[in-house]
Amino acid sequence: MTLGRRDVLCGMAAGAASLAFPARAVGTTELIADVGEMQLLPPQYAQTRFWGFGGTMPGPEIRVRQGERVQRTLVNELPQATSIHWHGIRIDNAMDGVSGLTQAATAPGDRFSYDFVAPDAGTYWYHAHNRSIEQVARGLYGALIVEEHTAPDVDAEDVLLLDDWLIDPATGQIDADFDAMHDRSHAGRNGNFIATNATYGLTRPARRYERRRLRIINAANARVFELRLQGLQGWIMAYDGMPLTAPRPFGDYLLLGPGQRADVFVDVTAEAGGQAHLLAVLDGEGLSQIKFEVAGNASGTRRGAPVPLEGNAHQMVQLDGARVLTLDMEGGAMGGLRSATLDGKRMNFRQLVGQGQFWAFNGAIGRAEDPPLANLSRGEHVWLKIRNATAFPHAMHLHGMHFHEVEADGRLGPLRDTTLIFGDQSREIAFVADNPGNWLLHCHMLAHAASGMTTRIEVA
């Protein structure tokens, strides 16, 4: 028995699934990591066992105002140790949640309290950061929304966590082979079932000419989402939580790599009685990630272009005099990696494969105890030149700080915390090392991170 294509790819006409039990963590300061079951697949399939926060997948949405504190205690009721990383938040290093680097993993039955201020308005998320390749794939993540002081001019808001799951259709269960050699050495763990907010056929009502804010989060282990609009016209307002200085027309499509986010304002242009969609394109087919059933009109005409979102205070990086660093990505299938250093020993590629390691940064397999990519002074300006000498894309995520992508003409692009680099491409990023501590820099294709693609930057 196999999942049919329309089932696997989230058919447009399906009704929304419901959770088997309500969230336990909403309204409390606890985030309980535990095992649950829900009807993830269409109703003709069995319920799926997942790992979630507060009994839900995704976990409960955390929403605060800019400058407010986030206080949550992780209560671990899982069979594995875990931790929580607050992805994209410029945070105190001790709260970053990277087990083995900034904290010890929280053992089953134990607790760990996170307490930090959310300095920047925007769309962020939280997820497990111990054995992430498994724990994120099982469902340990949720949205973290930091609201602006002044609400933007929109009629409605949709928080959309895009994900895919690798499912055994005979049992309805998540495939438990998280160490698959093919996933580690190729494009990562891609699923056979795609949904938004873990809901099959997500549908919401809308009115013609209303303006909606889509907060889009790519929570997938490895999938790059190519997103298009149908019955909607829109503008990109922010990448990775950081507002653009001027809204950008959405254009033909938007690419989001794992860990990346985008805030998109859309006007519903489909006629009353029709439908509008945010589509993900796979094998040339548009698959609805959210369907809007259009009933009635919000107004007689569309309003004008939106004004930019409130900016987040950020020191501008200066390329002149910046410290130049290089990061060479090597390895993977068809990558030509002959040898690399692992745990202080030089090994050939066959030996590395025997250790489940396939990728290297600057000739080394990443370990938390290894020397950092760089020791930086606080306030130092950095220009990092990344070369992807592999056959696959990588979504490079820097913890604790945001960076600019450097354009081909030397101008600084929008602020981001995750950059998507395709095979045989290069990318330059620049940032101010203004947050002290040990900060992870890794590929957010989580199978790649688990098999070599991690390093760190130490800011004094």
Side-chain angles (χ1 to χ4, degrees):
M1 177 182 180
T2 59
L3 287 169
R5 180 170 178 80
R6 289 184 62 83
D7 293 338
V8 171
L9 301 179
C10 188
M12 293 181 180
S18 60
L19 293 173
F21 39 81
R24 292 192 291 154
V26 175
T28 75
T29 58
E30 290 186 340
L31 279 174
I32 302 173
D34 56 8
V35 180
E37 287 191 351
M38 67 179 292
Q39 192 62 48
L40 175 64
L41 301 181
Q44 64 267 34
Y45 295 95
Q47 288 195 336
T48 300
R49 184 174 298 105
F50 68 93
W51 294 3
F53 293 109
T56 69
M57 178 176 64
E61 179 183 296
I62 298 174
R63 184 175 289 260
V64 297
R65 284 288 189 92
Q66 184 178 11
E68 289 183 343
R69 291 173 71 182
V70 177
Q71 296 173 298
R72 293 294 186 277
T73 296
L74 167 64
V75 180
N76 187 5
E77 297 181 1
L78 297 170
Q80 286 183 8
T82 191
S83 64
I84 301 176
H85 170 55
W86 311 91
H87 187 120
I89 300 292
R90 293 189 290 171
I91 198 170
D92 182 79
N93 193 240
M95 296 288 100
D96 196 43
V98 180
S99 61
L101 183 63
T102 67
Q103 69 168 93
T106 304
D110 284 352
R111 306 161 70 93
F112 187 92
S113 293
Y114 296 92
D115 186 349
F116 59 90
V117 171
D120 302 312
T123 300
Y124 306 97
W125 65 307
Y126 62 95
H127 61 80
H129 218 294
N130 185 58
R131 192 162 168 76
S132 304
I133 184 176
E134 175 178 358
Q135 295 187 4
V136 175
R138 289 189 182 275
L140 282 166
Y141 60 80
L144 171 55
I145 305 302
V146 184
E147 296 179 339
E148 298 88 357
H149 292 297
T150 302
D153 180 22
V154 294
D155 300 310
E157 179 179 294
D158 304 282
V159 179
L160 308 174
L161 289 106
L162 313 183
D163 199 0
D164 61 356
W165 293 262
L166 188 58
I167 301 287
D168 179 351
T171 63
Q173 302 310 307
I174 296 170
D175 188 297
D177 187 4
F178 298 102
D179 295 318
M181 302 282 269
H182 184 276
D183 294 346
R184 286 175 173 256
S185 61
H186 287 70
R189 181 183 171 100
N190 282 283
N192 58 353
F193 178 79
I194 300 172
T196 301
N197 297 348
T199 300
Y200 177 68
L202 181 63
T203 303
R204 289 181 180 163
R207 296 175 297 163
R208 193 181 192 199
Y209 296 139
E210 76 177 358
R211 179 162 291 173
R212 306 181 73 100
R213 179 180 192 165
L214 309 183
R215 296 182 181 265
I216 309 170
I217 302 167
N218 184 351
N221 260 39
R223 185 176 299 278
V224 177
F225 280 92
E226 178 185 329
L227 301 173
R228 297 178 183 263
L229 302 178
Q230 184 179 93
L232 304 166
Q233 293 190 13
W235 298 264
I236 299 171
M237 306 296 293
Y239 289 121
D240 294 352
M242 290 294 172
L244 304 182
T245 55
R248 292 184 177 181
F250 188 90
D252 293 332
Y253 65 92
L254 167 67
L255 290 181
L256 280 187
Q260 291 186 318
R261 291 92 62 215
D263 286 59
V264 180
F265 283 13
V266 294
D267 289 347
V268 180
T269 56
E271 294 186 0
Q275 298 176 352
H277 299 271
L278 174 69
L279 300 172
V281 177
L282 185 65
D283 298 331
E285 181 179 349
L287 315 166
S288 184
Q289 299 307 290
I290 182 171
K291 175 174 67 176
F292 297 105
E293 296 279 9
V294 184
N297 297 307
S299 64
T301 59
R302 292 181 63 193
R303 68 192 81 179
V307 299
L309 295 168
E310 293 179 11
N312 293 315
H314 206 281
Q315 184 180 354
M316 181 60 70
V317 66
Q318 302 294 326
L319 295 181
D320 289 341
R323 181 172 175 182
V324 177
L325 304 174
T326 59
L327 183 70
D328 286 339
M329 305 174 175
E330 301 174 283
M334 303 169 286
L337 179 65
R338 296 190 176 185
S339 64
T341 300
L342 174 62
D343 297 330
K345 300 177 182 178
R346 198 71 183 175
M347 298 186 183
N348 62 39
F349 189 65
R350 176 173 289 186
Q351 292 171 316
L352 295 171
V353 169
Q355 299 290 320
Q357 303 299 306
F358 296 90
W359 311 89
F361 286 161
N362 291 350
I365 307 297
R367 290 289 190 270
E369 62 271 16
D370 289 342
L373 176 68
N375 287 291
L376 304 174
S377 300
R378 187 173 186 179
E380 192 168 359
H381 294 233
V382 181
W383 188 350
L384 174 59
K385 301 182 178 183
I386 306 172
R387 182 179 68 97
N388 182 359
T390 81
F392 298 97
H394 302 289
M396 291 300 297
H397 173 48
L398 175 62
H399 289 220
M401 291 164 283
H402 285 79
F403 54 78
H404 294 274
E405 295 177 339
V406 182
E407 308 287 356
D409 60 3
R411 292 185 298 175
L412 298 178
L415 284 165
R416 306 209 66 150
D417 59 53
T418 307
T419 185
L420 181 62
I421 311 172
F422 286 92
D424 295 321
Q425 288 188 349
S426 295
R427 173 71 41 78
E428 298 179 4
I429 65 174
F431 61 95
V432 179
D434 56 2
N435 200 353
N438 274 307
W439 299 108
L440 202 65
L441 173 62
H442 68 102
C443 179
H444 224 278
M445 277 74 168
L446 298 177
H448 297 168
S451 50
M453 297 194 90
T454 64
T455 185
R456 62 188 174 95
I457 291 173
E458 187 170 320
V459 182

